[in-house]
Amino acid sequence: MARADRLGNSLERLADSRTNPLSIVVDDVVDTVTAVVAGRRTLMFGTNSYLGLNFNPACIEASVEAARHYGTGSTASRVAAGNHRLHVMLEEDIATLYGRRDAVIFSTGFMANLGVISALARKGDMIFVDAHCHASIFDACRLSGAQVESFAHNDRSDLDSRFARSNVPGPQTLVICEGLYSVRGDLGELEGLTTVARRHGAVVIVDEAHSLGIYGRYGRGIAEHLGVEANVDVIVGTFSKSLGGIGGYAVSDSSALRALRFMSRPYLYTASLPPPIVAAARRALHLIGAEPKLRDDLWRNARAMHDGLARIGVRPCADPGPVGSIRMPGLAAGYEFWKALLDRGIYVNLLVPPATPDGDVVLRFSVSAAHAPDQIRAAVNAVAEVSKLVKLA
Ligand code: PMP
């Protein structure tokens, strides 16, 4: 309670209630990249709609059609009356995309991590998790009851030395990392990490939440992009970012995945995804294969944003990609920068600890295939203007 108060207060001291970055109200949505925020029309660089599919006409149509036919919700769990043919077809689509035997869908990406990790590990097992992993992964590790150690971000030798010191056998050990890290926008060093994990016979889980549809020949994510899918046992992902909906998935060749349907509490004890959401996700999944232009547009924008920032002397934390981040010198300067961008009609995310690693305060901007080139330029110009007022380092 006291901790929650402290966190709330530190931002509330800086911000009035309308412009507190943690409680911004989007008054209206105009399109994928435009909204009304704090009373003004604002360009959005802080959603995860990397491919703009939340406003894709075919996805909307599929969703509306499913709502008319199946209703707005399934109102039951997958193990009761909530296991519609549509859910099964979406799982088949995901398994086909990845060329794996089985896929299981969950009601959110957060629950996919909870469900998979807590079912695959238990007391007596060991989990090595990358220190920069998402909160849902850390919560899942805790829920499993296994021993948990986080290794230094992307550090294969730290991972290796933890295996050397561990007295839990390799096959009873999970190694968990992400494809694209969402705070700094950097890639997981999957080649080294999965090689180490394989050498010790461990089970490897990679969360591709931010890379689905964007990296790899078939859009399967960073493991595909880096050619290391054979080293990965389970891939976890979400429909809430590039696919523009909500829901999570796990996909694998392992028969352990089938057991999730009987053991995984976040799968068993919650309502299944609403049919309109499932129908839209199926259509979106189809589009990432059928419409390469979406990806081309995203990459054009990602590079333009990165190059534009470099030209004005601002260096993002990582190479061009759907997520770009600029490190701020502290909370007060970060808030000032964020607010000055908002005043200029540009919304980005202000990320603060504990959502960030190493106590960082970060301005995170995400780009979408739906941004027009002049909107990218507008964002870069606004950053150029504000960086004259608020010093970055
Ligand atoms: N995994 C990662 C790496 C994430 O970044 C997120 C969300 N930011 C999630 C899982 C949770 O996904 P969802 O929003 O679909 O619950």
Side-chain angles (χ1 to χ4, degrees):
M1 190 75 169
R3 213 161 63 90
D5 264 358
R6 266 201 310 278
L7 178 66
N9 282 339
S10 59
L11 272 164
E12 264 152 33
R13 247 181 283 123
L14 293 167
D16 70 50
S17 61
R18 259 161 56 92
T19 54
N20 183 327
L22 299 186
S23 50
I24 273 290
V25 176
V26 175
D27 294 312
D28 196 11
V29 175
V30 180
D31 57 33
T32 314
V33 294
T34 323
V36 178
V37 177
R40 67 174 290 170
R41 204 176 159 100
T42 300
L43 274 176
M44 302 303 276
F45 284 88
T47 76
N48 299 301
S49 186
Y50 304 130
L51 298 177
L53 289 176
N54 54 336
F55 270 88
N56 180 279
C59 296
I60 292 174
E61 203 43 54
S63 171
V64 169
E65 213 176 278
R68 292 226 166 83
H69 192 89
Y70 300 99
T72 51
S74 72
T75 76
S77 149
R78 290 293 295 283
V79 287
N83 189 28
H84 293 193
R85 177 61 54 202
L86 264 186
H87 295 92
V88 176
M89 288 195 295
L90 176 55
E91 289 178 336
E92 286 167 0
D93 293 346
I94 295 165
T96 303
L97 170 69
Y98 282 90
R100 304 244 179 173
R101 203 158 71 188
D102 202 6
V104 178
I105 58 173
F106 292 82
S107 297
T108 65
F110 197 119
M111 289 169 77
N113 276 325
L114 290 185
V116 169
I117 296 164
S118 67
L120 295 186
R122 61 182 158 177
K123 196 158 182 277
D125 295 341
M126 171 64 89
I127 304 178
F128 293 134
V129 54
D130 188 289
H132 285 196
C133 275
H134 187 253
S136 59
I137 294 174
F138 280 98
D139 285 4
C141 292
R142 239 172 270 141
L143 187 64
S144 73
Q147 204 178 319
V148 183
E149 287 185 19
S150 59
F151 58 91
H153 178 50
N154 274 346
D155 189 336
R156 66 194 291 181
S157 57
D158 186 30
L159 175 62
D160 206 15
S161 56
R162 285 172 193 277
F163 270 109
R165 287 196 300 271
S166 167
N167 46 24
V168 178
Q172 264 177 263
T173 303
L174 297 188
V175 171
I176 310 176
C177 47
E178 294 183 19
L180 176 73
Y181 286 87
S182 63
V183 174
R184 294 185 186 160
D186 57 326
L187 300 194
E189 205 276 283
L190 299 189
E191 209 174 338
L193 297 176
T194 64
T195 303
V196 169
R198 272 288 178 263
R199 185 151 36 79
H200 293 281
V203 175
V204 177
I205 301 179
V206 177
D207 183 334
E208 299 274 17
H210 293 270
S211 39
L212 171 67
I214 297 166
Y215 290 85
R217 176 158 177 227
Y218 297 103
R220 302 197 286 239
I222 303 300
E224 185 193 16
H225 172 67
L226 298 176
V228 298
E229 285 176 297
N231 281 352
V232 181
D233 297 290
V234 183
I235 287 180
V236 178
T238 175
F239 309 139
S240 70
K241 304 184 193 301
S242 55
L243 298 192
I246 193 159
Y249 63 92
V251 59
S252 179
D253 281 327
S254 163
S255 52
L257 214 57
R258 228 166 299 143
L260 291 191
R261 298 187 196 275
F262 308 101
M263 300 168 55
S264 173
R265 294 162 73 87
Y267 176 86
L268 296 168
Y269 295 106
T270 195
S272 67
L273 281 168
I277 291 294
V278 179
R282 288 195 72 213
R283 193 57 61 92
L285 212 52
H286 168 75
L287 290 177
I288 65 175
E291 289 198 14
K293 183 175 182 314
L294 293 170
R295 240 167 101 157
D296 295 346
D297 287 352
L298 168 83
W299 279 107
R300 177 202 65 206
N301 287 339
R303 291 195 184 98
M305 187 73 155
H306 201 275
D307 293 352
L309 291 174
R311 256 198 311 278
I312 60 166
V314 172
R315 209 160 61 90
C317 300
D319 290 339
V323 174
S325 290
I326 310 171
R327 203 172 278 113
M328 293 285 119
L331 184 60
Y335 175 71
E336 212 186 321
F337 208 106
W338 176 87
K339 173 75 169 43
L341 286 178
L342 191 64
D343 289 342
R344 285 161 178 76
I346 304 290
Y347 174 85
V348 298
N349 304 122
L350 178 64
L351 302 183
V352 299
T356 54
D358 307 327
D360 279 355
V361 174
V362 158
L363 274 192
R364 173 195 190 266
F365 51 87
S366 49
V367 292
S368 170
H371 283 120
D374 64 325
Q375 293 174 323
I376 303 285
R377 277 193 294 277
V380 171
N381 290 343
V383 172
E385 236 177 87
V386 174
S387 59
K388 287 187 193 124
L389 308 174
V390 184
K391 282 282 152 270
L392 283 179

